[in-house]
Amino acid sequence: MIPAEVLRQMRRVQIRARRAVQSLVGGEYHSAFKGSGLSFEDVREYQPGDDIRRIDWNVTARTGRPFLKRFVEERELTILLAVDLSGSLRFGSTSSTKRVVASEIAALIALAAIGNGDCVGLLAFTDQIERYVPPGKGSHQAMRLLRDVLVYEPASRGTDLQAALREIATIQRRRAIVFLLSDFHGDGYEQAFRRAARQHDLIAVRIADPLEEAMPDVGFVRVRDAETGQTRLIDSHRIADEYRERSRTAKVAFESLVRSSGADLIDASTRGRHIDAVTDFLRRRERRR
């Protein structure tokens, strides 16, 4: 039984995502991603200026007039949402946590995919594979994915991006559009990231919080690692500059990895406007196409 408050939260996320799909994302989503190929639809009579390479010679010979083949893009796509459920995603210094932001983005993508007739699935991970839902269609599938991203209680709190990326290569043999939602706190996954980008259309959705970019100068403060549970006392005044520089260096290194891999990047934050970040990304993809 899902608690009433969780059901209300699921409903709020669903409403926000559905509004975005209806008002902003529907057309952009359709235009941003290529179909799996072209399929023959019918023929039409040749008109001056048409590409003669598309002439259907059999129909032309039978009718005595030139006819062209018409093709349509095969639109059914497979979308895989790979969502980090590790302990660090529970953090949030604003009114929202990174996991809630991840759930809203996942809901938005799932609803757009379902509305477009595409298949969408889920791989939820920590430092192990927590949950796998094979790609499917329909509103029930979208709600199932939303429930798992928002409500599912993982067995672990750690992060292993390399293992998650390897699992994607195993379970999704055919090329798919993979949205990898994480804060990307970890290392050693770079090679697996590059392989995944070669195999699939990989889109990294980096979810951050303002306190991860710059630590406020509040003197001594006790902090706890969300994944290991370890606590320590730190002097925020003394380490503020080092903290900011390490955050900037990690951010630049990740962006370099994304570019060199040929993947795409969506930057989202608990500050808000993450729906706009997804919409802006889809519009950029549409222009590139």
Side-chain angles (χ1 to χ4, degrees), residues 266-283:
I266 299 174
D267 264 320
S269 172
T270 57
R271 289 188 183 98
R273 300 189 63 82
H274 43 279
I275 300 298
D276 292 341
V278 177
T279 305
D280 291 344
F281 162 75
L282 293 175
R283 287 171 177 163

Side-chain angles (χ1 to χ4, degrees), residues 23-49:
S23 63
L24 296 171
V25 175
E28 285 87 349
Y29 171 89
H30 181 90
S31 301
F33 301 111
K34 295 180 180 179
S36 56
L38 297 174
S39 62
F40 173 77
E41 185 174 53
D42 59 13
V43 295
R44 67 168 174 81
E45 197 161 354
Y46 174 86
Q47 296 176 359

Side-chain angles (χ1 to χ4, degrees), residues 198-214:
R198 288 194 298 268
Q199 184 181 358
H200 300 294
D201 184 353
L202 180 62
I203 300 153
V205 184
R206 178 173 54 186
I207 304 172
D209 184 89
L211 278 186
E212 296 172 327
E213 300 171 4

Side-chain angles (χ1 to χ4, degrees), residues 36-75:
S36 56
L38 297 174
S39 62
F40 173 77
E41 185 174 53
D42 59 13
V43 295
R44 67 168 174 81
E45 197 161 354
Y46 174 86
Q47 296 176 359
D50 285 338
D51 186 350
I52 62 173
R53 291 174 297 182
R54 291 167 50 205
I55 289 178
D56 187 323
W57 294 107
N58 291 330
V59 177
T60 298
R62 191 166 62 247
T63 63
R65 302 192 311 276
F67 275 80
L68 295 180
K69 293 179 181 178
R70 291 184 66 245
F71 294 89
V72 294
E73 186 178 27
E74 294 179 348
R75 277 299 313 177

Side-chain angles (χ1 to χ4, degrees), residues 160-169 178 180 187-200 202 257 261 263:
D160 191 338
L161 284 160
Q162 177 177 267
L165 288 161
R166 286 176 173 172
E167 183 69 13
I168 291 169
V178 178
L180 179 57
D187 50 33
Y189 63 87
E190 291 81 3
Q191 187 175 354
F193 187 95
R194 293 188 178 95
R195 280 200 302 269
R198 288 194 298 268
Q199 184 181 358
H200 300 294
L202 180 62
L257 171 64
S261 302

Side-chain angles (χ1 to χ4, degrees), residues 172-185:
Q172 189 61 50
R173 298 288 187 179
R174 296 184 61 186
R175 185 172 177 82
I177 299 168
V178 178
F179 287 87
L180 179 57
L181 293 83
S182 176
D183 52 16
F184 296 96
H185 290 174

Side-chain angles (χ1 to χ4, degrees), residues 95-232:
S95 60
S96 185
T97 67
K98 290 186 284 184
R99 182 164 176 178
V100 169
V101 171
S103 70
E104 292 188 353
I105 293 175
L108 172 61
I109 296 166
L111 290 172
I114 294 298
N116 201 59
D118 296 330
C119 296
V120 59
L122 171 71
L123 178 75
F125 66 93
T126 53
D127 55 4
Q128 62 189 40
I129 304 305
E130 297 279 353
R131 188 102 166 124
Y132 174 60
V133 180
K137 295 183 178 183
S139 57
H140 177 75
Q141 176 82 348
M143 286 304 298
R144 180 184 180 188
L145 302 188
L146 172 58
R147 181 195 63 205
D148 285 347
V149 172
L150 194 60
V151 179
Y152 182 79
E153 189 63 34
S156 180
R157 299 175 69 91
T159 308
D160 191 338
L161 284 160
Q162 177 177 267
L165 288 161
R166 286 176 173 172
E167 183 69 13
I168 291 169
T170 300
I171 64 174
Q172 189 61 50
R173 298 288 187 179
R174 296 184 61 186
R175 185 172 177 82
I177 299 168
V178 178
F179 287 87
L180 179 57
L181 293 83
S182 176
D183 52 16
F184 296 96
H185 290 174
D187 50 33
Y189 63 87
E190 291 81 3
Q191 187 175 354
F193 187 95
R194 293 188 178 95
R195 280 200 302 269
R198 288 194 298 268
Q199 184 181 358
H200 300 294
D201 184 353
L202 180 62
I203 300 153
V205 184
R206 178 173 54 186
I207 304 172
D209 184 89
L211 278 186
E212 296 172 327
E213 300 171 4
M215 179 178 292
D217 185 356
V218 292
F220 284 95
V221 61
R222 187 169 296 278
V223 296
R224 181 174 64 88
D225 189 308
E227 298 191 3
T228 67
Q230 294 180 339
T231 62
R232 58 183 296 194

Side-chain angles (χ1 to χ4, degrees), residues 1-10 143 147-148 151-152:
M1 179 72 70
I2 300 176
E5 175 55 34
V6 173
L7 286 173
R8 286 193 291 270
Q9 189 177 19
M10 286 177 61
M143 286 304 298
R147 181 195 63 205
D148 285 347
V151 179
Y152 182 79

